[in-house]
Amino acid sequence: MEVLLRTNEFTDTEVISRILAGEPAFYEILIRRNNPYLFKVGMAYGYNKQDVEDLMQDTFISAYKNLGRFEQRASFKTWIVKIMLHHCYHKKQKLSFKNEKPVYATFNEKKIPMFSHSQSDPDKRILNRELRLVIEEAIGRIPVKYRMAFSLRELNGMSVAETAEALGISEVNVKVRLNRAKAMLRKEIEKMYTPEDIFEFNLIYCGRMVERVMAKINAGEY
């Protein structure tokens, strides 16, 4: 479908309207658009790549089945990340996010996420495998509630409000968890990298996920 090659021409709202109007092929746009976010969430939660792909497929199918219930009070990205988190929590049988006593620290909401760069030296984007594994391992050692706040805000570039909405906690708690996560990682990570450097998600994974999800949708297996 040629129109799917021009994904940037459609907003999420337009894509969803087309799907609900009987054009399920447009769901491919939402899959490609949100693949990297869900991949990073699953990896940050501690699953291996196979489990992450299974969780992503379940998430995309769940979102497709419930697309008519999406009320657009938040962005589609926030909504589907919440579904992914639900599947992650369910798999781990942990729903352990509780209220915390706030530990106030300097926090600038307008500050650009530490792993976000508008431009970067191509050479710096190429990390050797050993270093990438060190970074992934460092993130994996952080307690899950801090790890998820860090992943959504810093790796996925979500705002504090979006992160709070996705995790079901207050914005103050997001800031607390994020500051603690950064403190835990500071000694492990001394340089600034893009999200793609942390958890590689290339076109091979993206294309495979599109094929898996769309095959089930086209076969009515949802």
Side-chain angles (χ1 to χ4, degrees):
M1 188 174 182
E2 183 179 354
V3 71
L4 296 182
L5 300 178
R6 305 190 305 272
T7 60
N8 291 334
E9 294 183 12
F10 302 92
T11 65
D12 284 351
T13 299
E14 291 170 337
V15 172
I16 292 169
S17 295
R18 298 291 288 267
I19 296 169
L20 296 178
E23 298 182 81
F26 270 78
Y27 196 57
E28 178 178 331
I29 294 177
L30 295 181
I31 298 173
R32 292 188 181 279
R33 201 170 276 177
N34 292 279
N35 253 330
Y37 303 124
L38 301 193
F39 183 79
K40 292 168 195 169
V41 167
M43 291 296 289
Y45 204 78
Y47 292 110
N48 61 42
K49 289 184 178 179
Q50 181 58 57
D51 286 340
V52 170
E53 289 188 12
D54 291 341
L55 286 163
M56 289 171 66
Q57 176 177 295
D58 292 343
T59 297
F60 281 121
I61 294 297
S62 294
Y64 182 82
K65 290 167 60 177
N66 294 281
L67 199 57
R69 299 181 183 179
F70 176 52
E71 299 178 351
Q72 302 188 37
R73 289 181 294 184
S75 67
F76 181 81
K77 179 176 74 173
T78 299
W79 186 67
I80 200 167
V81 163
K82 289 178 69 174
I83 296 175
M84 179 69 173
L85 287 170
H86 173 77
H87 283 291
C88 288
Y89 299 157
H90 182 71
K91 187 175 179 67
K92 288 283 189 180
Q93 295 185 340
K94 287 184 178 181
L95 295 172
S96 59
F97 289 104
K98 298 180 180 179
N99 292 330
E100 302 174 297
K101 295 181 179 180
V103 177
Y104 295 100
T106 302
F107 191 93
N108 183 1
E109 162 64 21
K110 296 182 180 180
K111 180 178 179 289
I112 297 175
M114 64 187 296
F115 290 99
S116 178
H117 297 273
S118 57
Q119 295 182 345
S120 60
D121 184 339
D123 292 336
K124 293 182 180 179
R125 298 182 60 186
I126 302 176
L127 299 179
N128 60 52
R129 180 172 177 79
E130 290 75 17
L131 178 56
R132 184 162 59 246
L133 290 175
V134 167
I135 296 172
E136 291 182 7
E137 182 180 353
I139 294 175
R141 287 198 297 266
I142 298 176
V144 66
K145 62 183 181 181
Y146 303 119
R147 191 190 316 156
M148 296 319 302
F150 182 86
S151 174
L152 296 184
R153 170 65 177 151
E154 297 295 343
L155 301 184
N156 281 331
M158 297 173 71
S159 68
V160 171
E162 289 174 328
T163 302
E165 171 70 19
L167 296 179
I169 60 177
S170 70
E171 292 185 26
V172 170
N173 276 335
V174 169
K175 297 174 183 179
V176 169
R177 293 183 185 187
L178 186 57
N179 278 314
R180 288 180 178 175
K182 288 181 178 180
M184 294 174 187
L185 283 171
R186 192 67 62 183
K187 294 181 180 180
E188 303 289 339
I189 304 174
E190 298 179 351
K191 297 181 180 180
M192 311 294 272
Y193 301 107
T194 64
E196 289 76 15
D197 293 327
I198 302 299
F199 292 132
E200 183 180 20
F201 188 89
N202 56 36
L203 293 177
I204 295 176
Y205 289 111
C206 186
R208 186 164 65 204
M209 184 55 56
V210 168
E211 292 176 1
R212 287 177 58 173
V213 175
M214 294 307 297
K216 285 187 171 292
I217 289 175
N218 292 332
E221 298 177 359
Y222 56 87

